[in-house]
């Protein structure tokens, strides 16, 4: 009788052990499946971030190209004015039109801003991309400060001076007839060192933005390249 009881007890313990093993295995498997699903969702969210970031920076690339072209045109216009002043030649009034351009680099960056402001950029597991994004943000902020200085200088000094010496109808009609409204005879523009200094100062502010703009353009190219790598392309 004792042997039968012992046999039953062994069978019971074996069954309980097996059932316990199955239960524990089921729980562990459920945890593993949940973890795998969360990881899958996280990877999906990360991939969506990468795709939208790429769209943002492709648009930023086009906007920066436009700004670089605008700044180069302004530099060329200032050089032309300075050369004409030096030679004492007539200045086409319309060339001053380009000096009123105050291009602001402000691409739409909802995802980039979200990543930066919430520190969720840590979800990006790509070190080079993360560093490139931080570098871009630093350069963009620096360019914004340079633009603010240029705008203050233009509004406080250059624009008031130009308003007193230029005929705006001609300056703001780039498709109109060429009218050399400023000539060496009796014009203070040719012998006023203040005006020359204004042009040189404006050229300096534009040159600084042009330099940083080119750095940003290179940074954008790096970001786009790293985004392609991150997406397995």
């Amino acid at each position: 009788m004792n042997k039968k009881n012992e046999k039953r007890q062994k069978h019971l313990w074996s069954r309980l052990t097996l059932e316990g093993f199955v239960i524990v295995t089921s729980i562990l498997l459920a945890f593993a499946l949940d973890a795998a699903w969360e990881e899958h969702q996280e990877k999906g969210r990360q991939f969506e971030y990468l795709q939208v970031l790429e769209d943002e920076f492709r648009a930023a690339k086009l906007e920066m190209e436009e700004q670089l072209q605008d700044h180069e045109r302004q530099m060329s216009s200032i050089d032309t004015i300075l050369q004409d002043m030096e030679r004492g030649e007539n200045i086409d009034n319309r060339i001053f039109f380009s000096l009123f351009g105050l291009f602001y680099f402000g691409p739409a960056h909802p995802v980039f801003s979200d990543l930066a402001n919430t520190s969720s950029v840590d979800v990006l597991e790509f070190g080079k991309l993360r560093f490139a994004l931080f570098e871009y943000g630093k350069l963009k902020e620096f360019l914004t400060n340079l633009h603010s200085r240029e705008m203050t200088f233009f509004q406080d000094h250059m624009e008031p001076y130009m308003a007193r010496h230029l005929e705006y109808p001609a300056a703001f009609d780039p498709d109109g007839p060429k009218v050399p409204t400023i000539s060496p005879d009796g014009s203070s523009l040719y012998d006023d060192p203040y005006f020359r200094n204004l042009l040189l100062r404006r050229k300096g502010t534009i040159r600084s933005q042009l330099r940083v703009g080119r750095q940003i353009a290179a940074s954008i190219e790096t970001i786009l390249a790293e985004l392609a790598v991150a997406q397995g392309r």
Side-chain angles (χ1 to χ4, degrees):
M1 187 71 179
N2 291 334
K3 291 183 178 180
K4 289 183 177 181
N5 288 336
E6 289 178 2
K7 190 173 182 180
R8 288 177 180 174
Q9 287 180 354
K10 288 181 179 179
H11 178 72
L12 178 62
W13 281 111
S14 298
R15 189 177 68 182
L16 291 175
T17 301
L18 179 61
E19 290 178 352
F21 176 77
V22 171
I23 292 173
V24 172
T25 302
S26 298
I27 293 174
L28 294 176
L29 180 60
F31 282 139
L33 289 174
D34 286 342
W37 176 247
E38 289 180 2
E39 183 179 358
H40 174 73
Q41 288 183 315
E42 183 67 20
K43 289 293 184 182
R45 187 170 73 91
Q46 184 184 88
F47 187 74
E48 290 178 358
Y49 265 106
L50 295 174
Q51 285 185 314
V52 178
L53 272 175
E54 184 173 8
D55 292 339
E56 288 184 8
F57 279 96
R58 288 195 182 283
K61 176 183 178 180
L62 295 176
E63 186 168 330
M64 176 49 69
E65 289 174 352
E66 185 178 353
Q67 170 159 322
L68 292 176
Q69 292 174 1
D70 185 74
H71 281 164
E72 289 169 353
R73 282 194 298 268
Q74 290 186 20
M75 293 275 287
S76 177
S77 296
I78 292 175
D79 286 337
T80 298
I81 295 172
L82 290 171
Q83 292 170 6
D84 288 344
M85 290 175 62
E86 186 69 23
R87 293 192 294 259
E89 297 179 0
N90 291 341
I91 302 176
D92 181 1
N93 203 28
R94 294 169 301 167
I95 199 172
F96 291 94
F97 179 77
S98 63
L99 299 181
F100 287 84
L102 294 167
F103 199 105
Y104 175 71
F105 179 66
H109 274 313
V111 171
F112 172 70
S113 299
D114 176 64
L115 293 174
N117 294 333
T118 64
S119 298
S120 56
V121 70
D122 292 337
V123 304
L124 300 176
E125 301 173 359
F126 311 97
K128 291 183 179 180
L129 174 59
R130 189 163 58 245
F131 178 78
L133 290 172
F134 287 142
E135 184 70 14
Y136 169 82
K138 182 179 67 175
L139 289 170
K140 185 174 178 295
E141 182 177 358
F142 186 33
L143 182 62
T144 299
N145 293 333
L146 290 176
H147 170 77
S148 178
R149 294 177 188 176
E150 181 197 15
M151 188 184 323
T152 300
F153 167 73
F154 180 80
Q155 292 176 342
D156 292 348
H157 302 285
M158 186 163 231
E159 204 281 335
Y161 184 93
M162 294 171 69
R164 291 194 299 268
H165 293 83
L166 297 181
E167 295 184 11
Y168 276 14
F172 285 98
D173 185 14
D175 297 325
K178 181 176 180 179
V179 181
T181 57
I182 304 173
S183 64
D185 301 328
S187 174
S188 61
L189 288 177
Y190 282 87
D191 45 11
D192 185 357
Y194 180 67
F195 178 59
R196 182 176 284 102
N197 289 339
L198 287 178
L199 291 172
L200 293 173
R201 174 72 182 280
R202 180 70 184 283
K203 182 179 178 180
T205 63
I206 297 171
R207 183 191 291 115
S208 297
Q209 293 179 81
L210 193 57
R211 175 177 55 81
V212 177
R214 287 168 178 160
Q215 291 177 325
I216 290 178
S219 178
I220 291 175
E221 292 293 346
T222 299
I223 290 172
L224 290 174
E226 291 302 326
L227 283 169
V229 172
Q231 296 177 77
R233 298 203 307 270

